[in-house]
Amino acid sequence: MLTTTGARDGLIVFWDAAETNRATLAAALTAAGLRDCVPVQERPHIALRQALLDCGDQFGMRVHGKPIEYKQTVVDDPERNCGFEAIRIIRSAKENRYDRLYTVETNGTNVVVVRNSPFVGWTSSHQWTTPDGHVVSYTAAAEAYLTERYRHYLDRLPGSTVGAVLKRAVTRHLHGVSLSRSGKAYYLPASSVGQYETLAMPFRHSDDLRFGWFRWQREDRGFEQIVNALRDEVTEVISVVQQDLQHCHDANRRLRADARQNRMIDLDAAHAKLLAYELALNVSVDELKAGIEHTQGLLAMNALLSVSA
C-alpha cells in the first residue's frame, strides 16, 4: 500500500498495463476522483470477434487445414447487437471458393447461433459432454462457450487501452509528467499522491494491472529532468494550438466551436499544472504561463471572428 509519509516532494510512478477488468478499473478511477477517465465498454463486434477466434483456437476449427475468416453481418440494432458469418476460403489457380459455414449473432449479452453450428462438420456426433458431465447439442455448447467468452471480452480491457487510460489520468488530472518518450515512468507531485494511492489500492494483489512507485525528494537526482519534462509538455500544448490557428489563418477559415473548446481545455489543464509545479517545486514558469495566456487570447480572437463572419 502506498503511504504519503516521506513523499513530500512527490513520487516516480509506473505500471504494468495488462488486460484488466473494466468494472474494477472504473471503480478505482471513480474512488480516486477520476470519473472522467473511466473507459467505455468494449464494442460488441470486437468482443464477439475475439470470442470467435478463441472458439477456433479451443476446438481447432479448421477444415482441411484451411482457416476460417469472419465477415461482419448487418443486424437490426447495431448499438446493442452484432453478428459474424464464418467463411472458409479455398483458393485455387482458377477461382476461389467461399463456403459459408455458420452465422452467429449477439442478443444482449448472449450469443446465438443463427445458422448451423460451429461444431458441425468437425465432429462425427452432434452431442457434446460439458465439463460437469451434461450432454448437450453442439449448437448449445457453441452458444454457451461463445457467450462466456463474449461476456469476458465485454468486461475486459486490453492492456493498450488500460495504459492509455492511466496515462491520461496521471498527466491530465493528477498533474504528472512523463519522464521518457515511451511513457514508462511519470513524476507525480505530492498533492496528487493521495489520489494515486486510492487508484492503485484495489490492484495491490492483482495479477492483471500492477502499479509501482518510489518516493522522490528535491535532494534526489532528476529534478532538472522533471522540470524539463514539464516545460516540453506545456510547450507542445501551446505549439499544437498555435499551429491549428495558423493553418486556419492560411486557409482563411475558422476553428469549429467544439475544436476551440477542446483546445481551451488543453490550455487550462496546462496552466493548472504549471501552478501546481510552481507551488510544489518552487520553479519559475512565468514565460510558459505568458505563452498560454497569449494563445488563449488568439483562440478568443478566432471565436470573435467566427461570430462576425
Side-chain angles (χ1 to χ4, degrees):
M1 178 176 173
L2 265 173
T3 173
T4 58
T5 304
R8 70 172 190 270
D9 288 332
L11 297 174
I12 305 299
V13 302
F14 46 93
W15 52 79
D16 181 13
E19 183 184 279
T20 302
N21 180 271
R22 178 187 175 276
T24 304
L25 181 59
L29 288 166
T30 301
L34 302 168
R35 183 187 296 271
D36 290 345
C37 296
V38 172
V40 298
Q41 190 177 48
E42 187 63 275
R43 288 176 292 178
H45 76 275
I46 295 177
L48 179 57
R49 181 177 177 82
Q50 189 59 53
L52 285 165
L53 293 174
D54 281 2
C55 198
D57 292 340
Q58 176 74 12
F59 298 100
M61 289 184 179
R62 301 169 71 91
V63 183
H64 304 303
K66 303 297 183 181
I68 297 171
E69 297 188 14
Y70 296 101
K71 178 181 178 182
Q72 192 169 355
T73 61
V74 178
V75 296
D76 294 334
D77 184 4
E79 293 297 323
R80 184 168 179 265
N81 299 321
C82 62
F84 280 93
E85 184 177 41
I87 300 174
R88 180 185 60 197
I89 303 177
I90 300 179
R91 305 184 187 279
S92 67
K94 291 185 177 180
E95 61 179 2
N96 297 332
R97 194 174 86 236
Y98 300 87
D99 293 342
R100 288 174 167 78
L101 303 177
Y102 56 88
T103 305
V104 299
E105 291 183 359
T106 60
N107 181 15
T109 58
N110 295 321
V111 178
V112 179
V113 175
V114 179
R115 185 178 65 83
N116 296 337
S117 168
F119 297 101
V120 173
W122 286 270
T123 62
S124 58
S125 172
H126 297 292
Q127 291 183 333
W128 174 267
T129 302
T130 64
D132 56 3
H134 291 87
V135 178
V136 298
S137 71
Y138 274 100
T139 297
E143 290 178 342
Y145 180 82
L146 286 168
T147 294
E148 185 275 326
R149 300 312 297 163
Y150 173 66
R151 292 175 180 176
H152 170 85
Y153 286 113
L154 275 181
D155 294 336
R156 304 285 287 181
L157 296 169
S160 58
T161 299
V162 174
V165 167
L166 293 176
K167 178 180 179 180
R168 180 171 183 266
V170 165
T171 59
R172 187 65 174 266
H173 298 274
L174 300 185
H175 297 153
V177 292
S178 175
L179 299 179
S180 66
R181 292 184 179 275
S182 59
K184 296 294 185 181
Y186 300 82
Y187 166 74
L188 203 65
S191 58
S192 300
V193 169
Q195 283 178 278
Y196 186 79
E197 176 184 22
T198 302
L199 171 62
M201 190 181 303
F203 301 96
R204 61 190 183 280
H205 301 306
S206 173
D207 292 330
D208 297 334
L209 176 58
R210 298 182 180 182
F211 288 86
W213 57 84
F214 57 86
R215 298 183 186 91
W216 180 86
Q217 296 181 356
R218 285 196 58 167
E219 296 79 9
D220 299 335
R221 297 174 57 186
F223 176 78
E224 186 175 338
Q225 182 182 3
I226 291 171
V227 175
N228 287 338
L230 171 67
R231 294 181 183 279
D232 290 345
E233 180 182 310
V234 175
T235 299
E236 182 177 358
V237 171
I238 294 172
S239 177
V240 167
V241 177
Q242 291 186 352
Q243 286 177 16
D244 286 347
L245 290 171
Q246 185 62 49
H247 291 157
C248 288
H249 179 271
D250 294 342
N252 194 27
R253 59 184 177 84
R254 307 288 176 258
L255 275 177
R256 299 193 315 272
D258 58 338
R260 279 197 305 273
Q261 182 179 7
N262 289 335
R263 300 299 184 271
M264 191 64 76
I265 290 174
D266 292 341
L267 291 170
D268 288 342
H271 192 269
K273 184 177 288 189
L274 289 176
L275 295 179
Y277 279 66
E278 264 190 332
L279 181 63
L281 301 182
N282 192 29
V283 295
S284 175
V285 289
D286 289 341
E287 77 285 2
L288 291 174
K289 289 194 294 184
I292 288 177
E293 292 166 2
H294 172 69
T295 308
Q296 288 172 326
L298 294 177
L299 272 176
M301 180 64 69
N302 184 275
L304 289 174
L305 292 174
S306 296
V307 172
S308 61

